[in-house]
Amino acid sequence: MRSKRWPLLGATIVAACLAATPLTPAAAASPSPVPSESTPPSVIDSLERDLGLSEQQVITRLANERRAAATEAALTSSLGAAFGGAWLNGDASKLLVATTDPATTAAIEAKGAQPVLVPRALAQLNAVKDQIDRASDQAKAGASLWYVDVTTNSVVIVAGQQAAADALATAAGVDRNAVRVTVSGEQPQTLINIIGGAPYYIGSARCSVGFAITRGTTPGFVSAGHCRVAATTTNPTGTFQGYSFPGNDYSWVAAPGNTATPYVRGSGGANVTVRGSTVAGVGSSICRSGSTTGWHCGTVQQLNATVRYSQGTVTGLTRTNVCAEPGDSGGPFISGSQAQGVTSGGSGNCSSGGTTYFQPVNEILSTYGLTLRIG
């Protein structure tokens, strides 16, 4: 989504079953969690607004999410090839962990999570999705997107017509038992504002700064790759040093002479400090900042989604129920204080609601050897 005003590059650069047990026994023993020092008040306020929660419910949810992230990381490692993915329930009070091996259920329960026996491991689901990614452009033409859905232990193909999704699955040669079709009118777009008018300009278009970074001594920022299509330079002065679109949707801009700060613009324009880039799991709360619509929150729906834009297919995106509009492209997604990614595209709007996808930030940092600016 393209758009945002250039003070972003100055001193204030802003750059989704079964019954389950509580995440940990400590969750029941601590009825009144207190805010983490790393959770800005503006994040709590926005989650109250967009998730329809009280302040105490937000604080409890964030505490549960932090515990779930640590538990998921430990079980991903210990379960190995049997790991089938993990997700939080609706209010983030329970972590469900899928496994293909019945012998591992006790180990999952010992971590305070709920085991769910599934026929396919996450690695198998990712392999199915990879097969679909490799299908011809002609085969993909009738589908809007496809993604690994750990909650149903399947790969979902979303298309306007059942026949189009079936044709894609057939062309990809995938196991149909592993594929679920959703018929929907959803048509993700890259949400480019070609009229121009705010944060940083690229030719006649505008995009939103993602996260401030450095490469060596050079300051800059990451953003969406489709923002680079219009021109090689930005206004005020900045130069795209690398980009990928389609396939991926990321870029980075060198902006010498500016100050890279560890902030993104939060609710009401208040700064939210970036502390790191730990990945938020399915079901986690997440917020987005954009130059057109500002600060909006929701939850992570799926990881590893492939979206077919009119310009081409983009893989490895994260799907959220956060709204966005043209001009927001490239803007940051953040969970608590942890950087998650840059806005790629979506459908809907911030009046009626929508679905938005982001390119994970850690891939961008790794690809270009960038250092995330944290505070």
Side-chain angles (χ1 to χ4, degrees), residues 66-356:
R66 285 190 290 272
R67 287 193 294 269
T71 299
E72 181 177 347
L75 288 173
T76 300
S77 176
S78 63
L79 294 180
F83 180 67
W87 63 96
L88 289 163
N89 68 340
D91 64 1
S93 63
K94 301 164 188 174
L95 177 67
L96 293 85
V97 178
T99 179
T100 61
D101 185 358
T104 63
T105 58
I108 294 171
E109 290 173 338
K111 288 288 188 180
Q114 171 66 44
V116 180
L117 284 173
V118 295
R120 289 170 288 273
L122 181 59
Q124 293 173 284
L125 294 175
N126 284 331
V128 170
K129 180 183 168 294
D130 288 345
Q131 281 184 257
I132 299 174
D133 287 344
R134 291 192 292 269
S136 68
D137 288 340
Q138 181 179 0
K140 297 173 184 174
S144 299
L145 63 134
W146 47 98
Y147 53 80
V148 171
D149 185 4
V150 294
T151 67
T152 61
N153 194 236
S154 65
V155 175
V156 178
I157 299 176
V158 180
Q161 297 181 340
Q162 176 85 32
D166 290 341
L168 174 54
T170 299
V174 296
D175 177 5
R176 292 306 302 269
N177 292 322
V179 174
R180 185 166 60 89
V181 171
T182 297
V183 177
S184 169
E186 180 179 352
Q187 290 290 334
Q189 302 297 322
T190 46
L191 302 174
I192 299 171
N193 187 338
I194 60 175
I195 298 174
Y200 78 92
Y201 296 82
I202 324 92
S204 62
R206 66 179 171 92
C207 278
S208 298
V209 168
F211 295 96
I213 53 85
T214 56
R215 187 177 187 189
T217 60
T218 302
F221 61 90
V222 293
S223 190
H226 70 264
C227 295
R228 159 62 177 77
V229 174
T232 58
T233 59
T234 67
N235 180 28
T237 303
T239 305
F240 284 95
Q241 300 296 303
Y243 81 104
S244 179
F245 181 78
N248 303 294
D249 193 5
Y250 53 65
S251 64
W252 85 275
V253 174
N258 293 278
T259 301
T261 73
Y263 305 127
V264 299
R265 287 281 178 86
S267 180
N271 287 335
V272 174
T273 302
V274 179
R275 305 288 186 185
S277 57
T278 300
V279 177
V282 173
S284 297
S285 60
I286 195 164
C287 298
R288 177 198 58 72
S289 184
S291 60
T292 297
T293 60
W295 182 258
H296 289 273
C297 301
T299 58
V300 175
Q301 304 295 292
Q302 286 88 25
L303 309 179
N304 193 20
T306 294
V307 172
R308 188 182 61 80
Y309 296 126
S310 61
Q311 300 95 328
T313 300
V314 177
T315 64
L317 299 178
T318 297
R319 188 175 188 238
T320 76
N321 61 3
V322 186
C323 71
E325 296 180 9
D328 289 329
S329 279
F333 268 85
I334 189 167
S335 181
S337 62
Q338 300 298 304
Q340 298 299 309
V342 298
T343 302
S344 173
S347 56
N349 55 55
C350 288
S351 296
S352 61
T355 300
T356 305

Side-chain angles (χ1 to χ4, degrees), residues 16-33:
C17 89
L18 303 177
T21 55
L23 286 175
T24 65
S30 179
S32 300

Side-chain angles (χ1 to χ4, degrees), residues 356-368:
T356 305
Y357 303 84
F358 68 79
Q359 174 81 58
V361 70
N362 286 333
E363 180 181 353
I364 312 173
L365 300 175
S366 175
T367 297
Y368 297 119

